[in-house]
Amino acid sequence: MADGQGGALAQFDVVVVGAGFAGLYALYRLRQSGLSTCILEQGSGVGGTWYWNRYPGARCDTESLQYSYQFSEELQQDWEWSERYATQPEIERYLNHVADRFDLRRDMRFSTKVEATVFDERSGLWQIRTGDGNTTFARYVVMATGCLSSSLTPKFEGMESFAGPQYHTALWPKEPVDFTGQNVAVLGTGSSAMQVIPIIAEQAKQLNVFQRTANYAVPAWNGPLDRDYLKWFKANYVENRKRAKRLVSGFLCYYNPKTTFEVSDEDRDREYEARWREGGIGYLAAFSDITTNDEANRLAADFIHRKIRSIVKDPKVAELLIPDSVIGCKRLCVHAGYYATYNRDNVALIDVKTDPVERITPTGVVVAGKDYPADTLVLATGFDAMTGALNKIDIRGRRGISLKEKWAEGPRSYLGVASSGFPNLFTVTGPGSPSVLTNMVPTIEQHVDFIAGCIAANEARGGGTMEPEVAAEEAWVADNDGVAHRTLRYNCTSWYLGSNVPGKKRVFMPFVAGLPAFIAKCDEIVSEGYRGFRFEQIQENARGAA
Ligand code: NAP
């Protein structure tokens, strides 16, 4: 079939956009429902986040035994994770294994960038236009485009004049990059920067790190997985997964029910120290009030301040590395040797908060009138999170209204999975879902199962259209905003709020009340016949003509 302009045409029940964790599971799950399903993926391979973020040191900050699928007990028993925190190459291998094991590749089109997705009200079909000039039709679209997949590059004056290579951590080349003997400038000090900096420091002649905001980081203490722990975890996988789902983050760790002020000063410090020695983001679970009580938060933060001072030898550098914000407001970083890297003679930290980057020259970065020589620029400057990847696609629903226009004053969705005016279009980990505040992989499975249930319910009603009612959507957004305002997460500039992107409306995007509350809401909505969703029949069945 051709579209009259030379592009090929195809039609599926469902088109899934993206071949990361969400897209692969969506394809697997929707195929099981008997729906013809196809993935369109911009990259040349599977992986999503784990395909693009291949910078040296890229590693997950959630333990590998939990940052993995549970839909197949055989898979979780067979796959052998080698380390406590998996590297990018290992996760990419895992996702390739999943694609092969479940024969998913035959329904995937790689190097296929989705440019527009337009709803035709007459036929009830979505028309999906891709960069290769082809058009695909689908009754349903599932956007599995990820939360952190639209990279952000600030516009520094003179950037285009830079003579050497520039790499964004989220768009890293497949070929290894060698920094040996070079002057390297790293811009940014978030999670990505903290992982790449210690590795570049080992190779570079001189590494200059340009920091605007200091971030909190706890050690990973990564290493090979302990064999006894692995054996125990696998023997109890199903039960462990069930227990994790009952926790606010969906991540199994010990949530101390005690508050900060219930214990003596000595016991409090002992608990912080134990968490520090254990490593990982479980630090925030040391006491139950760290993310809700100002003083509790300050004490937990002070402990990390002391750690930074004890690791970093130059007191001026240590002070610069100490964040002045609430701990846990931004995502807590997990590092391997980040702070100690500043004890090296070839590493310098440059404050660009007081004096922002003035300009980039062909051979360096200018700050406060001083030119810092650079052969290579590394941009670890983050993402237009949660809405960025969706807004890059021209998504048009009823009456030709675009999702980007609808979301100009902040994203509006019901449960983070659907938005009114955009029938039969679903988002996995969309704004309004718990996604990034939880262990992503199990949450993705929950979101996809819910979406598969929505599609099945719609099919059972005749296969017309399904979309949220405006009132249900508005209530969902308002409730989340209300809860988010009462947390300490509102008190900083973070990608959760979109405030890292110039001009983006400041709205707390993820669902903040935790995974169990979200699952309970979804279950309740299903048990009440998909309360808050509107089902309609297609007026004129023109599908066959498409
Ligand atoms: P990020 O946390 O948003 O950090 C971006 C950095 O770039 C910040 O330090 C930011 O400073 C800086 N920056 C941006 N624009 C700048 C400008 N014009 N001038 C100077 N500095 C500028 O991004 P990320 O490090 O890529 O991490 C994003 C998220 O990805 C993480 O929070 C995490 O969820 C995920 N991630 C996870 C892992 C892992 O699993 N281990 C690894 C990497 C990323 P400001 O803070 O002042 O804006």
Side-chain angles (χ1 to χ4, degrees), residues 267-520:
D267 284 350
R268 189 181 308 130
D269 269 358
R270 206 169 292 125
E271 182 66 25
Y272 294 146
E273 184 65 34
R275 298 279 171 159
W276 179 271
R277 283 179 189 279
E278 194 182 326
I281 45 181
Y283 182 79
L284 292 176
F287 294 101
S288 63
D289 52 356
I290 291 181
T291 56
T292 51
N293 178 300
D294 285 324
E295 187 55 13
N297 190 279
R298 194 187 61 74
L299 290 175
D302 274 357
F303 178 83
I304 302 218
H305 298 175
R306 295 201 294 276
K307 283 290 180 193
I308 296 172
R309 288 190 185 104
S310 74
I311 298 168
V312 179
K313 290 186 182 137
D314 181 333
K316 277 197 193 131
V317 178
E319 291 314 306
L320 209 48
L321 286 167
I322 290 175
D324 58 8
S325 57
V326 161
I327 186 169
C329 186
K330 287 186 178 207
R331 180 159 171 116
L332 186 60
C333 303
V334 178
H335 75 102
Y338 174 68
Y339 292 121
T341 298
Y342 292 98
N343 293 333
R344 296 178 66 107
D345 292 337
N346 68 333
V347 177
L349 183 66
I350 294 104
D351 175 17
V352 293
K353 187 172 210 158
T354 338
D355 292 298
V357 172
E358 254 172 58
R359 63 183 188 282
I360 310 280
T361 68
T363 54
V365 178
V366 180
V367 176
K370 182 171 174 187
D371 193 348
Y372 294 87
D375 303 308
T376 301
L377 280 187
V378 173
L379 295 150
T381 43
F383 301 88
D384 180 357
M386 302 206 79
T387 54
L390 292 167
N391 284 343
K392 271 187 178 168
I393 300 171
D394 187 11
I395 302 173
R396 289 185 184 269
R398 293 195 190 278
R399 295 177 296 287
I401 291 172
S402 88
L403 190 71
K404 190 175 172 180
E405 283 163 20
K406 181 185 165 183
W407 285 5
E409 291 302 303
R412 280 181 290 142
S413 79
Y414 187 39
L415 301 165
V417 302
S419 194
S420 67
F422 297 82
N424 293 3
L425 182 127
F426 297 96
T427 47
V428 188
T429 67
S433 75
S435 53
V436 286
L437 294 181
T438 63
N439 179 7
M440 280 295 265
V441 184
T443 303
I444 280 170
E445 288 178 301
Q446 189 278 342
H447 293 353
V448 168
D449 288 341
F450 181 81
I451 291 167
C454 287
I455 295 177
N458 193 44
E459 291 292 285
R461 286 164 172 79
T465 61
M466 174 181 190
E467 67 193 280
E469 288 163 359
V470 174
E473 180 172 293
E474 281 176 358
W476 186 257
V477 174
D479 284 356
N480 193 44
D481 196 53
V483 179
H485 266 91
R486 293 194 292 276
T487 71
L488 301 181
R489 289 191 194 272
Y490 235 87
N491 301 348
C492 64
T493 304
S494 77
W495 57 258
Y496 295 137
L497 281 154
S499 47
N500 62 325
V501 181
K504 191 167 175 177
K505 179 83 180 170
R506 190 180 153 95
V507 173
F508 197 86
M509 292 183 285
F511 175 80
V512 75
L515 188 60
F518 183 79
I519 295 174

Side-chain angles (χ1 to χ4, degrees), residues 101 155 243 491:
R101 183 178 183 124
K155 301 215 178 325
R243 284 170 52 218
N491 301 348

Side-chain angles (χ1 to χ4, degrees), residues 50 55 59-62 148 154 156 169 187-193 195 210 212-213 215 330-331 334 352 357 380-383 493 495 500:
W50 301 103
Y55 58 86
R59 191 185 283 285
C60 188
D61 61 5
T62 306
L148 294 159
F156 296 110
T169 44
L187 289 135
T189 49
S191 296
S192 304
Q195 292 186 331
F210 296 84
R212 188 165 65 184
T213 312
N215 270 313
K330 287 186 178 207
R331 180 159 171 116
V334 178
V352 293
V357 172
T381 43
F383 301 88
T493 304
W495 57 258
N500 62 325

